[in-house]
Amino acid sequence: MTNIAFIGLGIMGAPMALNLQNAGFSVTGHNRTPRYDDLVAAGGAGADTAAAAVADADVIAIMVPDSADVAGVLRDETDGVFDHAKPGALIIDFSSIRPDVAQELAAEATERGFRMLDAPVSGGEPGAINALLSIMVGGDAADFAEAQPVFDAVGKTIVHVGPAGSGQTVKAANQLIVATNIQALSEAVVFLEAYGVDMPAAVQVLGGGLAGSAVLNQKAQKILDRDFAPGFRIDLHHKDMGIVTSAAREAGVSVPVGALIAQLMGAARAMGDGGLDHSGLFRTTQRLSGRED
């Protein structure tokens, strides 16, 4: 049985850790705010510190918010993975962070005697709960092959996309597409509601044509219900759009729509909506149209 340490048991990490435990792995979780009841009930364990969680781990999974958080988990001198994990352990970072930071941390991991894959995910909370995540993986092909059973326990579409940092680059592109779709959907709903259209019927027919998308399927009803309980928070998508615009600038690539969406995400946060699901971007579109509920 493979021992897995799972660091970061938030909206995404908690169900992922639970799915790993239920798949037959031995999972020890650690979270800054202890939340281990479900994992323990399934036969897993909780650890008070990251150092304790990783001590006997063959695989170390990380799911935390941002680049600095991942770096802290790995480098912290008193509680970090690099100083407390077994040599040769495989580190899988499921977080969404900057591609250049992923490359830097992978190189440091190699120097410290570890192996590391960047494996950001897409699919939101439903994908995490139902083990249907899309996982884009950067790193060594042999390490990817070894990690396949871990990925299979939490995801459905799992693709090795290149060397270290490649997973994060593909995730940035994913977040650009998703955010653009959410904004287009938001504008369409505001437009349709202004004309008094039968909204469930409109969504049904749009979903059956070329306008159909996973975003429409998952987010349209949330928008119609004004239910913005977070599956993936605007705060995090704002961070991801910052990664998109920064990486595009470094590569000399123009992303004019991406830059606009990044500004709209920032506006949503500034208006107090950062804790909402990213479909809550609809509220910003409403405000800009002067059509708040």
Side-chain angles (χ1 to χ4, degrees):
M1 181 183 295
T2 300
N3 293 326
I4 298 179
F6 205 110
I7 300 174
L9 302 177
I11 288 175
M12 299 291 288
M16 291 172 70
L18 185 60
N19 285 333
L20 286 165
Q21 180 65 37
N22 288 335
F25 297 101
S26 177
V27 180
T28 300
H30 171 71
N31 200 61
R32 284 183 298 183
T33 303
R35 42 182 304 172
Y36 309 126
D37 290 350
D38 290 344
L39 182 59
V40 170
D48 292 335
T49 65
V54 305
D56 295 318
D58 306 298
V59 175
I60 298 156
I62 302 170
M63 181 54 117
V64 293
D66 206 346
S67 302
D69 301 297
V70 177
V73 166
L74 295 175
R75 292 171 170 164
D76 187 275
E77 294 181 357
T78 60
D79 198 33
V81 170
F82 286 158
D83 285 333
H84 295 92
K86 299 188 299 186
L90 177 60
I91 302 166
I92 303 175
D93 181 24
F94 288 112
S95 317
S96 296
I97 67 173
R98 287 167 38 194
D100 60 324
V101 173
Q103 292 173 329
E104 177 185 310
L105 292 173
E108 186 172 348
T110 299
E111 292 173 2
R112 299 289 294 267
F114 302 102
R115 298 164 298 142
M116 187 166 180
L117 298 170
D118 53 288
V121 304
S122 179
E125 185 180 16
I129 291 171
N130 297 308
L132 296 175
L133 294 168
S134 291
I135 310 175
M136 44 226 85
V137 187
D140 183 78
D143 293 335
F144 170 74
E146 181 180 329
Q148 190 71 51
V150 174
F151 294 137
D152 287 341
V154 296
K156 181 179 180 182
T157 303
I158 303 146
V159 182
H160 181 238
V161 295
S166 298
Q168 299 297 349
T169 303
V170 175
K171 178 59 186 292
N174 179 87
Q175 296 304 82
L176 169 59
I177 294 169
V178 170
T180 302
N181 272 270
I182 289 174
Q183 180 59 27
L185 174 61
S186 297
E187 292 179 17
V189 171
V190 170
F191 171 72
L192 292 167
E193 288 184 344
Y195 280 91
V197 171
D198 181 331
M199 291 306 301
V203 167
Q204 179 182 2
V205 72
L206 289 172
L210 193 57
S213 68
V215 165
L216 189 147
N217 292 342
Q218 294 185 28
K219 302 299 182 179
Q221 196 60 50
K222 289 180 72 68
I223 290 174
L224 297 187
D225 293 342
R226 307 305 198 252
D227 172 17
F228 302 118
F232 186 78
R233 291 182 287 114
I234 284 173
D235 279 336
L236 293 175
H237 214 139
H238 170 73
K239 177 263 297 183
D240 289 345
M241 293 308 298
I243 292 172
V244 170
T245 54
S246 176
R249 183 170 58 250
E250 291 173 8
V253 173
S254 177
V255 287
V257 173
L260 175 59
I261 301 297
Q263 290 293 317
L264 290 168
M265 287 286 183
R269 291 182 77 243
M271 288 185 280
D273 288 346
L276 301 182
D277 184 77
H278 51 178
S279 57
L281 193 58
F282 171 76
R283 286 161 52 93
T284 302
T285 305
Q286 278 188 303
R287 293 182 181 111
L288 291 171
S289 301
R291 306 190 68 88
E292 291 185 73
D293 294 323

